[in-house]
Amino acid sequence: MRLELSQRVAGLNHRYRSHDPAALVAATLNDPDTGRVALVSSFGAESVVLLHMVATRAPETPVLFVDTLMLFEETLAYQREVAETLGLKDLRVIRASEADLAAQDPENKLHKTDTDACCALRKTAPLEAALAEFDGWMTGRKRYQGQTRADIDHFEVETPTRMKINPLAHWGRTEIADYMDRYDLPRHPLVARGYPSIGCAPCTSPVAAGEDPRAGRWRGQEKTECGIHFVNGRIVRPGSLEAEKSEKVA
């Protein structure tokens, strides 16, 4: 009989606690305890590292890219470049439906009045639908990226039936940069212009030296996450276990 998800996640964290990210990716894609796994990628500042690790081991792995229709043109061009360079065989571009956009944001101005609602419409809901067929998904989240990500594990329970996998959780900027240099991976063009974390164009600004890498996301607001990530009181996609726990704590 298959173990409960929480038991499998605990076992995976113990089993692979000493693995480096590349080895952890390879193990994740072949371990029956993870089930069917997709990689969700923003094709942002550091995304190419995890994309490369997956592409060199299992290029047929489904890669989900959420196009909010408000991304920087540089991000869209970079997505095409990286996908071609790495030979990704199952890239899926996810978007909100035209009907939902017309009903909830007909003038494309929702981000000016309610950023949470905009993220839910353009990113959270479409991604949730796309993830329905998977048992787990890999993310590029790292502990160094800010207080809201400081305690993430390699494997996490997300919903009663799905886990989240963070192979790069323990890596810092130096390891990320070294990996990019070692494999001569293409850089997102906006990084050189002061964007260490890149989201939608209307809600992303450059970051000054010494600022948190995510300080340019929704600058001037308390919002720090788009709504697809949450652990122990941090922002979460609606319906997840951690969301329910947060509501009870609040």
Side-chain angles (χ1 to χ4, degrees):
M1 185 174 68
R2 198 177 195 197
L3 295 174
E4 291 292 328
L5 180 59
S6 59
Q7 293 175 295
R8 284 189 281 127
V9 164
L12 288 163
N13 275 318
H14 178 75
R15 191 179 312 152
Y16 299 122
R17 64 188 183 280
S18 300
H19 282 52
D20 67 28
L24 191 148
V25 166
T28 292
L29 294 174
N30 290 283
D31 194 313
D33 278 344
T34 61
R36 180 161 167 74
V37 174
L39 167 60
V40 175
S41 180
S42 67
F43 286 80
E46 299 173 342
S47 298
V48 71
V49 171
L50 188 53
L51 285 163
H52 180 266
M53 289 179 181
V54 169
T56 54
R57 288 155 184 83
E60 70 282 357
T61 301
V63 176
L64 310 185
F65 170 61
V66 182
D67 179 5
T68 63
L69 302 178
M70 288 194 169
L71 299 176
F72 289 94
E73 287 299 325
E74 290 88 343
T75 295
L76 298 174
Y78 183 64
Q79 178 265 307
R80 293 189 291 269
E81 175 190 4
V82 170
E84 181 177 355
T85 299
L86 298 184
L88 301 176
K89 296 182 182 298
D90 190 3
L91 175 65
R92 307 180 187 185
V93 180
I94 311 301
R95 301 185 180 95
S97 70
E98 292 184 5
D100 286 343
L101 290 171
Q104 300 178 51
D105 192 13
E107 297 181 352
N108 295 329
K109 295 180 179 180
L110 186 59
H111 65 278
K112 296 182 178 181
T113 57
D114 191 338
T115 52
D116 285 341
C118 187
C119 287
L121 167 66
R122 295 175 176 273
K123 191 167 187 179
T124 308
L127 180 58
E128 185 65 33
L131 284 172
E133 66 181 275
F134 299 100
D135 302 301
W137 56 296
M138 283 189 282
T139 87
R141 293 187 306 156
K142 308 162 199 71
R143 291 185 172 187
Y144 92 86
Q145 288 176 318
Q147 185 176 2
T148 62
R149 301 184 175 190
D151 300 317
I152 59 175
D153 289 324
H154 284 136
F155 299 87
E156 301 172 323
V157 174
E158 185 192 28
T159 75
T161 59
R162 191 169 63 227
M163 70 177 67
K164 188 183 297 180
I165 305 157
N166 312 297
L168 304 178
H170 298 165
W171 265 17
R173 294 176 182 170
T174 299
E175 289 88 349
I176 294 295
D178 288 347
Y179 190 95
M180 288 185 178
D181 290 340
R182 187 184 320 145
Y183 294 101
D184 192 25
L185 298 176
R187 267 59 165 182
H188 194 301
L190 290 179
V191 173
R193 290 160 53 185
Y195 293 83
S197 180
I198 304 162
C200 293
C203 299
T204 308
S205 59
V207 172
E211 282 192 298
D212 184 294
R214 293 179 62 82
R217 305 289 292 275
W218 306 284
R219 188 178 290 280
Q221 301 181 41
E222 293 185 3
K223 183 178 176 71
T224 59
E225 296 276 0
C226 62
I228 66 170
H229 297 302
F230 195 93
V231 176
N232 295 333
R234 300 191 287 276
I235 302 294
V236 33
R237 184 174 332 101
S240 77
L241 286 179
E242 294 300 334
E244 295 169 5
K245 291 178 184 177
S246 177
E247 289 171 1
K248 291 177 182 178
V249 171

